[in-house]
Amino acid sequence: MQKQPFVGAEKLREIISVYPTPFHLYDEQGIRETAQKLQKCFSWNKGFREYYAVKACPNPFILTLLKQEGCGVDCSSMTELMLAERLGFSGDDIMFSSNQTPAGEYEYARKLGAIINLDDLTHIDYLREHGGIPEKICLRYNPGGELHIGNTCMGQPWDAKFGMTRTQIFEAIRRLKAEGVKQFGLHSLLASNSSDEMYYPTVAKILFKLAREAHEMIGVDFFMINLSGGIGIPYRPQQQEADIELISDDVRRLYKDMLVPAGMDNVMVATELGRYMTGSHGCLVSTVVHEKHIYKEYIGLDACAANLMRPAMYGAYHHITVVGKENMPCDHIYDVVGSLCENNDKFAVDRPLPEVSIGDIMVIHDTGAHGYSMGYNYNGRLRSAEILLHADGTFSLIRRAETPKDYFATFDCFDILSGI
């Protein structure tokens, strides 16, 4: 079974004639349609907001088109906050979810009026000293134990460094209420890249129950339940896309059954989807530059793990299309590799593909989230350009490729590399 790229061979060759490989390519129309579909599915909730996870694809052009579709941003660092501010996000447009947070980042987030999502009980005193306690605040919850969805165990939250225990959540609410906080939010991220459509309803049930208990026991009001991210995309051809309509219907039913009877029908539901929003709408385009025949058959690309780390870091699967050979039999077995001096620099291992020749163009699918953003400069390799494909078939450079000058830029306080 094969996946079809969102861009045809002729258009790809046109883009390559202007911008040489490797580069990340994004589908503007696909991103917009996904954002619109999400908004429509959750329109039953007054005030619903998607806070796009900036870390997934921190490109100002991508963030701007999501802003045009009504999305806010989820930031977790100073530079992400600075990027958000520059693009016109402020106040409730921004969720600031971080951990082990430096003082300056809290102060900056407070200056922007961002919704602070506290990760730990000890951060209450720290935030008071560095930015001050706001009148509304969000708290990150870690339920511990094992996360069970149906008959599946999706992981063990107690192993995660994020969030507070139930006891700490209640203590935090009481302390913050005494400090003048008038409205609270709850947040939890319990899985990543989940393909199980019961994941969001499971998180919603956990958070709705906790919010209702805090509302009834302590008498505090909640303005938000943030289900965070975690909904995955179908990286493999045989996988099915998550049914966001079904997911939303299940969350709505829980909202109606658990919050509405408690008089909490004005609580907004929020999401922080990164992978789901843009992951399928990006690809890494690369050219075959070498082939090697030893104990295995190797195909060498002009891209490497510096352009896409996930396969090397996690052994993650990314589908590969050989452009122009989509209908040929996949009767050759290759390792598709990059040029780093690391043996894990492999985009695919023992992958069935059509016969590949030097000069072929390969499309590595599903790099629109946690693709370019996880890039790095090991071996002095430089990060690629990013290009946006518009609905009318035109395309724009939205980030140029790095040059050696960029690589040496942080040595600009010394003379040793002057003139490079």
Side-chain angles (χ1 to χ4, degrees):
M1 184 180 293
Q2 297 296 313
K3 299 181 76 167
Q4 296 300 316
F6 58 78
V7 58
E10 184 177 348
K11 177 58 65 176
L12 261 182
R13 293 190 178 98
E14 180 186 350
I15 297 172
I16 292 169
S17 71
V18 180
Y19 302 110
T21 60
F23 55 76
H24 284 272
L25 180 67
Y26 306 104
D27 176 18
E28 178 180 354
Q29 181 174 347
I31 294 172
R32 289 190 184 276
E33 288 176 353
T34 296
Q36 292 164 9
K37 182 177 181 179
L38 179 71
Q39 300 279 3
K40 181 179 178 181
C41 287
F42 279 89
S43 61
W44 57 265
N45 178 250
K46 184 178 179 180
F48 169 78
R49 197 77 186 273
E50 156 61 2
Y51 290 93
Y52 178 71
V54 175
K55 62 181 175 288
C57 190
N59 186 293
F61 293 88
I62 302 297
L63 298 179
T64 295
L65 72 87
L66 286 167
K67 185 173 187 284
Q68 292 168 353
E69 297 298 337
C71 298
V73 285
D74 163 41
C75 299
S76 57
S77 69
M78 177 71 81
T79 48
E80 290 183 354
L81 287 169
M82 293 172 69
L83 179 58
E85 180 186 27
R86 187 64 179 266
L87 297 177
F89 294 96
S90 64
D92 286 359
D93 294 335
I94 305 171
M95 281 289 300
F96 183 57
S97 300
S98 65
N99 64 95
Q100 318 312 321
T101 310
E105 296 187 3
Y106 270 143
E107 291 165 356
Y108 195 78
R110 290 288 290 119
K111 185 189 79 168
L112 297 180
I115 299 171
I116 304 294
N117 188 26
L118 278 186
D119 185 66
D120 189 68
L121 184 64
T122 62
H123 288 204
I124 295 175
D125 293 338
Y126 195 75
L127 179 61
R128 185 194 309 109
E129 297 169 7
H130 303 289
I133 304 294
E135 289 194 348
K136 65 180 181 181
I137 198 165
C138 197
L139 303 175
R140 194 169 190 174
Y141 179 50
N142 184 329
E146 295 181 336
L147 177 63
H148 289 277
I149 296 178
N151 295 320
T152 303
C153 180
M154 294 191 65
Q156 299 174 332
W158 65 47
D159 284 335
K161 68 173 183 175
F162 308 111
M164 300 181 230
T165 67
R166 173 187 166 85
T167 300
Q168 289 172 337
I169 287 286
F170 278 86
E171 182 180 347
I173 290 173
R174 290 188 174 95
R175 286 176 56 183
L176 288 164
K177 180 183 179 184
E179 300 228 18
V181 174
K182 294 180 171 58
Q183 292 184 305
F184 290 86
L186 286 175
H187 171 285
S188 193
L189 177 62
L190 303 180
S192 178
N193 194 35
S194 172
S195 58
D196 194 316
E197 287 159 350
M198 285 306 298
Y199 169 64
Y200 252 15
T202 299
V203 175
K205 187 173 183 179
I206 291 170
L207 294 180
F208 291 169
K209 182 175 184 291
L210 187 63
R212 186 180 66 187
E213 290 173 345
H215 174 71
E216 294 173 347
M217 294 168 59
I218 308 177
V220 291
D221 292 326
F222 284 84
F223 73 98
M224 170 194 286
I225 301 294
N226 190 327
L227 305 179
S228 191
I231 296 179
I233 59 173
Y235 284 100
R236 295 177 181 271
Q238 65 270 26
Q239 291 177 310
Q240 296 296 313
E241 182 179 353
D243 187 338
I244 198 67
E245 294 181 5
L246 177 63
I247 291 169
S248 174
D249 285 344
D250 286 342
V251 173
R252 174 170 54 181
R253 185 160 44 252
L254 289 165
Y255 187 97
K256 181 179 178 181
D257 292 344
M258 299 180 72
L259 295 186
V260 173
M264 302 174 69
D265 56 342
N266 61 343
V267 177
M268 70 173 282
V269 172
T271 57
E272 291 175 353
L273 296 167
R275 196 187 316 265
Y276 176 82
M277 298 296 288
T278 59
S280 297
H281 307 304
C283 61
L284 175 61
V285 183
S286 185
T287 301
V288 177
V289 292
H290 290 289
E291 56 185 28
K292 184 172 183 177
H293 315 284
I294 50 173
Y295 306 105
K296 303 183 75 173
E297 296 294 302
Y298 292 95
I299 294 298
L301 303 185
D302 60 0
C304 64
N307 306 108
L308 178 64
M309 187 193 295
R310 295 187 73 252
M313 187 175 185
Y314 303 120
Y317 180 94
H318 282 261
H319 199 69
I320 296 176
T321 294
V322 184
V323 176
K325 298 182 177 180
E326 294 87 348
N327 297 319
M328 293 177 62
C330 295
D331 52 3
H332 287 64
I333 304 297
Y334 298 106
D335 281 14
V336 181
V337 303
S339 58
L340 294 187
C341 298
E342 293 291 338
N343 197 45
N344 67 349
D345 182 18
K346 298 178 179 180
F347 295 111
V349 175
D350 295 330
R351 183 70 60 86
L353 291 170
E355 184 176 9
V356 176
S357 303
I358 292 175
D360 280 348
I361 304 301
M362 286 192 172
V363 169
I364 302 177
H365 293 248
D366 303 316
T367 70
H370 312 291
Y372 181 97
S373 64
M374 294 179 74
Y376 57 109
N377 289 123
Y378 182 64
N379 269 177
R381 295 297 174 188
L382 304 175
R383 283 169 285 199
S384 65
E386 293 180 291
I387 298 167
L388 185 61
L389 178 65
H390 305 291
D392 62 2
T394 60
F395 51 91
S396 303
L397 181 70
I398 59 174
R399 192 195 302 264
R400 65 165 174 81
E402 288 183 335
T403 67
K405 186 176 180 180
D406 297 314
Y407 182 78
F408 295 121
T410 50
F411 294 108
D412 60 1
C413 51
F414 306 103
D415 294 330
I416 189 171
L417 296 173
S418 61
I420 290 182

